[in-house]
Amino acid sequence: MEKTFIMIKPDGVQRNLVGEIIGRFEKKGFTLKGLKLINVDHAFAEKHYEDLSKKPFFNGLVEYIVSGPVVAMIWEGKNVVLTGRKIIGATNPSDSAPGTIRGDFAVEIGRNVIHGSDSVESAQKEIALWFPDGPVNWQSSLHSWIYE
Ligand code: RTP
């Protein structure tokens, strides 16, 4: 089953949005397969965002990610990568629809609360980076109530 990497950024943790965000993924029907609260250093944040290293906002983005603990998660489910991005909303909160996480809880692009993998390929890469031991092996007893 498809998996994605979701990270609650330092502003989401500081603003006590962890429970709210986890609740949205749980209530949708996705399954939590990995979870940790972690401080990352500059080298790790640079590695996670290496594709953006040429962008003018890269240094500010790295400083933002190292500014406090983040919640790193693996979520599993049918189409979870794309659907997770829909739950999160557009990158710039000015464009994020109400009802999405960024649409409901963020104002500025540089404080947009949450990250979600943008493809199955980047999800695999990010899960390997953040969870070298891989996902937790378990199956929810709700499975047959979520999937036909
Ligand atoms: P993310 O990786 O965090 O899920 O965000 P995303 O795919 O929606 O957006 P991406 O283009 O990959 O950018 C990563 C993060 O960089 C910050 N950003 N700042 N100041 C700016 O113009 C700017 N553009 C992007 C955001 O925090 C964005 O989530």
Side-chain angles (χ1 to χ4, degrees):
M1 181 86 71
E2 188 170 296
K3 293 177 185 58
T4 194
F5 172 71
I6 300 290
M7 170 186 42
I8 305 175
K9 295 177 177 177
D11 49 334
V13 175
Q14 298 289 341
R15 293 175 55 199
N16 293 327
L17 294 173
V18 172
E20 170 75 34
I21 290 169
I22 289 176
R24 289 186 179 211
F25 281 83
E26 280 187 328
K27 282 177 228 163
K28 172 70 178 171
F30 292 141
T31 306
L32 186 60
K33 289 282 177 132
L35 173 72
K36 60 184 173 185
L37 178 70
I38 180 176
N39 283 306
V40 299
D41 63 17
H42 284 78
F44 191 94
E46 285 167 9
K47 176 89 185 139
H48 172 77
Y49 279 121
E50 66 184 359
D51 293 351
L52 301 175
S53 62
K54 299 282 184 291
K55 300 280 185 190
F57 57 81
F58 181 70
N59 289 341
L61 174 60
V62 168
E63 290 303 329
Y64 165 40
I65 297 304
V66 304
S67 66
V70 300
V71 173
M73 296 178 280
I74 303 169
W75 284 92
E76 182 182 86
K78 186 176 181 183
N79 291 325
V80 69
V81 171
L82 190 63
T83 308
R85 297 276 292 185
K86 288 181 183 164
I87 291 170
I88 288 170
T91 305
N92 189 336
S94 300
D95 301 326
S96 321
T100 66
I101 292 167
R102 288 169 175 161
D104 287 349
F105 302 121
V107 174
E108 275 209 324
I109 192 165
R111 295 288 183 273
N112 63 357
V113 173
I114 184 165
H115 159 81
S117 306
D118 62 6
S119 67
V120 171
E121 192 190 15
S122 54
Q124 287 166 350
K125 215 170 122 188
E126 291 170 2
I127 288 169
L129 175 67
W130 288 81
F131 291 92
D133 293 337
V136 174
N137 184 22
W138 75 292
Q139 180 156 309
S140 166
S141 57
L142 290 176
H143 200 267
S144 62
W145 298 105
I146 306 282
Y147 298 101
E148 62 180 2

